[in-house]
């Protein structure tokens, strides 16, 4: 009988130790010094005290934790703002490149039309040349212009694709940024209201 009691006590102690170790492990994953903002909010909630009064549940948050969380949120928003600025600068650069390529494309097209209109002329740079030599030089120039045109068209399409991708990424980032900022502000306001309520209640009880 005594051995059975000892066995039960040892089993209970081991179970309590495992639960305590698991709680410690979960707490180590939450911190105000690392991890996403959501996990930092979870950390504040976990570390906050709570009590009930008049049938309502209140949370008591340490001011230093609230200040740290607020600074982390502001730092995160600053990072998102910086990324947004970088994407806008990239888009501006692509738009400048596209504008330059469009200008060169127009010049190349104008040169091609000009060469085509003069293909029946037998004068080349003021010098009379044979028809065979003239045709050879003409088609060589046309081939070179077409190659240049195709090259610029390729560059234009590539730059346009990169610009569209950058705009899409910027749009997604702005949506994510606004959503994150809204949720962060809502949480901060809720915690601030709860903290103010506790302060007001404390003042009334004094």
């Amino acid at each position: 009988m005594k051995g059975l009691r000892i066995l039960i006590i040892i089993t209970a102690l081991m179970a309590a130790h495992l639960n305590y170790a698991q709680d410690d492990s979960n707490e180590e994953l939450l911190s105000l010094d690392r991890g996403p903002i959501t996990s930092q909010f979870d950390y504040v909630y976990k570390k906050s005290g709570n009590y009930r009064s008049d049938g309502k549940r209140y949370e008591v948050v340490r001011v230093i934790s609230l200040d740290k969380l607020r600074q982390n949120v502001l730092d995160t928003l600053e990072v998102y703002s910086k990324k947004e600025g970088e994407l806008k600068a990239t888009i501006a650069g692509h738009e400048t490149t596209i504008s330059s390529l469009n200008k060169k494309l127009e010049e190349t097209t104008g040169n091609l039309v000009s060469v085509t209109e003069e293909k029946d002329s037998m004068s080349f740079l003021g010098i009379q040349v044979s028809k065979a030599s003239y045709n050879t030089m003409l088609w060589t120039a046309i081939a070179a212009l077409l190659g240049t045109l195709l090259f610029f068209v390729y560059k234009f399409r590539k730059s346009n694709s990169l610009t569209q991708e950058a705009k899409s990424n910027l749009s997604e980032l702005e949506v994510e940024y606004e959503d994150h900022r809204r949720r962060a502000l809502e949480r901060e306001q809720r915690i601030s209201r709860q903290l103010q309520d506790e302060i007001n209640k404390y003042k009334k009880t004094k």
Side-chain angles (χ1 to χ4, degrees):
M1 190 68 176
K2 185 176 182 181
L4 180 60
R5 287 183 179 179
I6 295 175
L7 180 61
I8 293 174
I9 293 174
I10 292 175
T11 303
L13 289 175
M14 290 180 64
H17 178 72
L18 288 175
N19 289 333
Y20 180 77
Q22 185 175 2
D23 291 340
D24 287 345
S25 176
N26 290 336
E27 288 188 7
E28 288 178 359
L29 296 177
L30 300 176
S31 173
L32 286 176
D33 297 320
R34 62 179 183 276
I37 293 299
T38 53
S39 68
Q40 294 180 24
F41 272 105
D42 293 338
Y43 175 84
V44 172
Y45 286 137
K46 190 172 185 65
K47 291 296 185 181
S48 64
N50 61 80
Y51 66 92
R52 290 184 177 275
S53 178
D54 298 331
K56 297 181 180 179
R57 184 171 181 269
Y58 295 91
E59 295 287 337
V60 180
V61 181
R62 294 179 62 192
V63 174
I64 188 172
S65 296
L66 186 62
D67 290 339
K68 177 68 173 177
L69 180 60
R70 180 175 183 274
Q71 187 59 47
N72 291 346
V73 170
L74 293 176
D75 291 342
T76 301
L77 294 178
E78 184 178 355
V79 170
Y80 277 112
S81 297
K82 183 178 180 180
K83 289 183 178 178
E84 180 183 6
E86 292 174 353
L87 284 175
K88 286 183 177 180
T90 301
I91 290 174
H94 286 317
E95 289 178 347
T96 301
T97 302
I98 290 173
S99 177
S100 176
L101 289 174
N102 283 334
K103 183 176 180 181
K104 290 181 179 180
L105 183 60
E106 291 177 0
E107 293 176 356
T108 302
T109 303
N111 292 335
L112 181 60
V113 172
S114 177
V115 170
T116 303
E117 290 175 351
E118 297 176 358
K119 68 179 181 178
D120 293 331
S121 175
M122 297 301 295
S123 177
F124 184 75
L125 298 178
I127 303 174
Q128 294 296 323
V129 296
S130 65
K131 189 174 183 179
S133 299
Y134 176 79
N135 286 337
T136 300
M137 288 186 292
L138 176 63
W139 288 110
T140 300
I142 291 175
L145 289 173
L146 284 174
T148 303
L149 177 62
L150 291 175
F151 173 75
F152 283 126
V153 168
Y154 166 76
K155 294 291 289 184
F156 170 77
R157 289 183 177 178
K158 184 176 181 181
S159 296
N160 188 53
S161 175
L162 292 174
T163 300
Q164 293 300 323
E165 181 180 355
K167 287 182 178 180
S168 176
N169 291 337
L170 177 61
S171 178
E172 294 177 359
L173 179 61
E174 288 176 346
V175 171
E176 181 181 352
Y177 169 76
E178 288 300 325
D179 183 61
H180 178 78
R181 185 175 66 87
R182 177 182 57 79
R183 287 188 283 106
L185 289 176
E186 288 177 355
R187 289 183 178 180
E188 184 178 352
Q189 289 172 359
R190 183 168 64 253
I191 293 175
S192 296
R193 286 197 300 269
Q194 291 175 352
L195 181 60
Q196 186 61 45
D197 290 343
E198 291 302 317
I199 294 174
N200 293 338
K201 185 175 181 180
Y202 176 75
K203 288 180 178 180
K204 288 180 180 180
T205 57
K206 291 185 66 176

